[in-house]
Amino acid sequence: MSRNDAAPGTVTAPPGRIRRMLSHLYVQCLIAVLLGALVGTLWPHVGAELKPLGDGFIALVKMLIAPIIFCTVVHGIASMGDARTVGRVSLKALVYFEVLTTLAMVIGLVVVNVVAPGDGLHVDVASLSTKGLPAEATTAHEGFAEFVLAVIPATLISALTGNEILPVLLVSVLFGFGLHATGEAGLGIARGIEKFSAVLFTLIRWIMRLAPVGAFGSMAFTIGNYGLGTLRHLALLVGSFWLTALFFVLVVLGTVMRLNGLRLLLFLRYIKEELLIVLGTSSTEPVLPRMMAKLEHAGASRPVVGITLPAGYSFNLDGTAIYLTMGSVFLAQALGIDLSLTQQLSMLAVMLLTSKGAAGVTGSGFIALAATLSAIPHVPVAALALIFGIDRFMSEARALTSLVGNGVATLAVARWEGELDEGRAKAVLSGAIPYISAPTSLAVTAEPGPHHTPSPEALPEPPRASVPAAG
């Protein structure tokens, strides 16, 4: 029966509309997440075996993250008029990161003390064992001096082949300043980096087509391996953590957006595809290239985006900050350890260090918590066994919160620096100027400031050369 012969009262969706809907990456990821949860629930053993799908997708993205950060940061510095501008942007970003990270920790500390999800568990310390915990969680963690020295890579190339973001940032900043200082001699190299970055973003666009597969495998593994029943006894911790993260996003980050003349809910709608990818994979790394492209499309200048967003992946992990305070105090409550206000504040000071440099990948927050506990005498590291089974259910909230926090931070720093086209940002977030995932070339020359940009109504195309988009 044709569509026109349908029975009276029957509503049928046009095939073309369905195809267009299914062509959107966020729809594909949403379907994949739901199917993964279904498989993990109905066939737990099958779901537990699908972990390589998620791991493989994240590994494909991670192999390109370091060179993409390198190209973007170097190009951002090369695009700036002078070295003082780079230093000013970096300083503003770091100040913002520290203020918001500290605020996130304080909010987590208040909530966990008020809700007290660990009270009444009465866990015996002698019954705990580190057996079954990840090796990274039980190894000794470095102090401040070792942490700083670890940022310096063995060689220039090794920074791009490792798994840490901070060494990549260090090498990128030094190389960018070097190109900037050599003037005409460095222009050819800068143009070569421009062309190389276009290739990298093209590869990322291809890899991102596998995002639904990665989301399906990761969600199926989480539900199949740990099971929804794992949440039963620790549901209060998981629930209070998700609600705290939601409060931080809607209230704190919403306020930051309002102060910058923008609306958070419109921004969340604008990055819905990235949010669903992060929800499925529990990692923010796969969407780093897409976020850079979208933030620049929204009116933030390329140099500010290129410096602030990658740095935020190491210095502005709001979700991890909340998790560290809530997780550590919860474990103390479960063991019957009464932490004084002074002890909790000293833990917070340690967390300001241990939360830095944690890559935006699955499980990094748990390792950061282990580093925190090993640096303080109050709570034994073995207590991590209490929350290891439910950590994955909090990993998504950590990643989502950190992703939104870094996006908001980039827009805020751009406006603070006078490098945000507010008219364009409002038009993009409202949907008046849609984001089209297509690669474009980078311009090595300095970009015009936002004050030279026409009004949104006269902008069928972006006024600036856009970073190649990953789609």
Side-chain angles (χ1 to χ4, degrees):
M1 181 173 63
S2 68
R3 200 174 132 219
N4 294 330
D5 297 330
T10 302
V11 178
T12 58
R17 182 180 301 174
I18 295 177
R19 282 196 297 269
R20 286 196 300 272
M21 184 181 300
L22 293 177
S23 68
H24 292 297
L25 185 61
Y26 74 91
V27 175
Q28 297 171 11
C29 287
L30 179 59
I31 294 174
V33 167
L34 295 177
L35 288 177
L38 183 63
V39 170
T41 302
L42 298 180
W43 303 286
H45 296 294
V46 175
E49 295 297 324
L50 295 178
K51 187 174 185 289
L53 293 179
D55 291 346
F57 169 70
I58 293 176
L60 283 172
V61 175
K62 285 186 67 176
M63 74 178 182
L64 297 177
I65 288 298
I68 284 177
I69 291 177
F70 176 80
C71 292
T72 306
V73 173
V74 169
H75 181 269
I77 294 175
S79 300
M80 293 243 178
D82 56 79
R84 286 178 296 180
T85 304
V86 179
R88 188 172 62 246
V89 171
S90 302
L91 179 61
K92 289 179 179 179
L94 289 176
V95 170
Y96 176 94
F97 294 161
E98 286 306 310
V99 171
L100 267 290
T101 301
T102 303
L103 183 58
M105 289 183 176
V106 170
I107 291 175
L109 203 61
V110 171
V111 171
V112 75
N113 278 282
V114 172
V115 178
D119 281 358
L121 291 182
H122 305 298
V123 177
D124 184 6
V125 178
S127 66
L128 299 176
S129 172
T130 58
K131 183 179 180 181
L133 294 178
E136 298 89 344
T138 55
T139 55
H141 296 275
E142 70 270 7
F144 179 76
E146 290 79 6
F147 171 80
V148 173
L149 290 176
V151 175
I152 305 174
T155 66
L156 185 72
I157 302 301
S158 65
L160 303 180
T161 59
N163 295 319
E164 300 295 331
I165 291 179
L166 288 179
V168 181
L169 288 174
L170 175 63
V171 169
S172 303
V173 169
L174 292 176
F175 198 86
F177 277 121
L179 285 182
H180 196 279
T182 53
E184 193 69 27
L187 188 59
I189 298 177
R191 286 174 176 164
I193 290 176
E194 167 197 347
K195 293 179 172 60
F196 181 57
S197 66
V199 176
L200 294 177
F201 275 97
T202 299
L203 295 178
I204 277 290
R205 285 195 302 116
W206 293 349
I207 292 174
M208 290 309 296
R209 294 173 183 172
L210 299 175
V213 178
F216 169 77
S218 295
M219 187 57 66
F221 165 76
T222 300
I223 304 299
N225 190 62
Y226 300 111
L228 294 175
T230 311
L231 298 173
R232 189 174 304 133
H233 298 293
L234 299 172
L236 185 57
L237 172 62
V238 176
S240 59
F241 175 70
W242 272 86
L243 290 176
T244 304
L246 183 63
F247 172 84
F248 180 83
V249 170
L250 295 180
V251 177
V252 178
L253 298 182
T255 300
V256 173
M257 289 290 279
R258 281 288 186 184
L259 292 175
N260 288 281
L262 303 173
R263 295 176 58 187
L264 177 68
L265 295 182
L266 293 181
F267 178 67
L268 295 179
R269 185 182 67 179
Y270 178 57
I271 61 169
K272 59 181 179 294
E273 291 185 354
E274 290 70 32
L275 292 174
L276 282 171
I277 293 172
V278 170
L279 176 64
T281 62
S282 298
S283 172
T284 57
E285 281 195 338
V287 299
L288 174 59
R290 293 177 58 93
M291 286 293 293
M292 293 168 71
K294 282 197 167 182
L295 288 169
E296 185 182 340
H297 178 74
S301 70
R302 184 182 308 120
V304 173
V305 173
I307 293 173
T308 306
L309 189 63
Y313 267 55
S314 286
F315 292 100
N316 189 43
L317 301 173
D318 298 327
T320 300
I322 297 172
Y323 172 78
L324 290 179
T325 50
M326 295 192 68
S328 56
V329 176
F330 166 81
L331 294 177
Q333 293 171 349
L335 297 177
I337 301 173
D338 186 18
L339 295 176
S340 65
L341 178 61
T342 302
Q343 289 174 321
Q344 292 190 33
L345 291 178
S346 67
M347 288 173 60
L348 190 147
V350 172
M351 292 170 192
L352 287 174
L353 173 63
T354 56
S355 64
K356 302 297 182 284
V361 296
T362 305
S364 60
F366 187 79
I367 304 305
L369 179 58
T372 301
L373 297 184
S374 66
I376 56 178
H378 314 308
V379 183
V381 176
L384 289 171
L386 294 175
I387 62 173
F388 179 58
I390 62 166
D391 177 74
R392 184 72 185 222
F393 295 99
M394 294 186 283
S395 179
E396 289 90 350
R398 291 199 301 264
L400 289 169
T401 305
S402 296
L403 177 70
V404 178
N406 282 318
V408 171
T410 303
L411 294 175
V413 173
R415 186 176 184 274
W416 192 1
E417 182 63 17
E419 290 291 330
L420 176 67
D421 186 337
E422 297 182 46
R424 179 178 178 81
K426 292 177 181 178
V428 169
L429 297 187
S430 66
I433 304 178
Y435 172 78
I436 300 175
S437 179
T440 58
S441 61
L442 293 173
V444 178
T445 55
E447 302 167 4
H451 302 292
H452 300 291
T453 304
S455 62
E457 292 78 6
L459 288 172
E461 297 294 334
R464 300 183 180 92
S466 300
V467 173

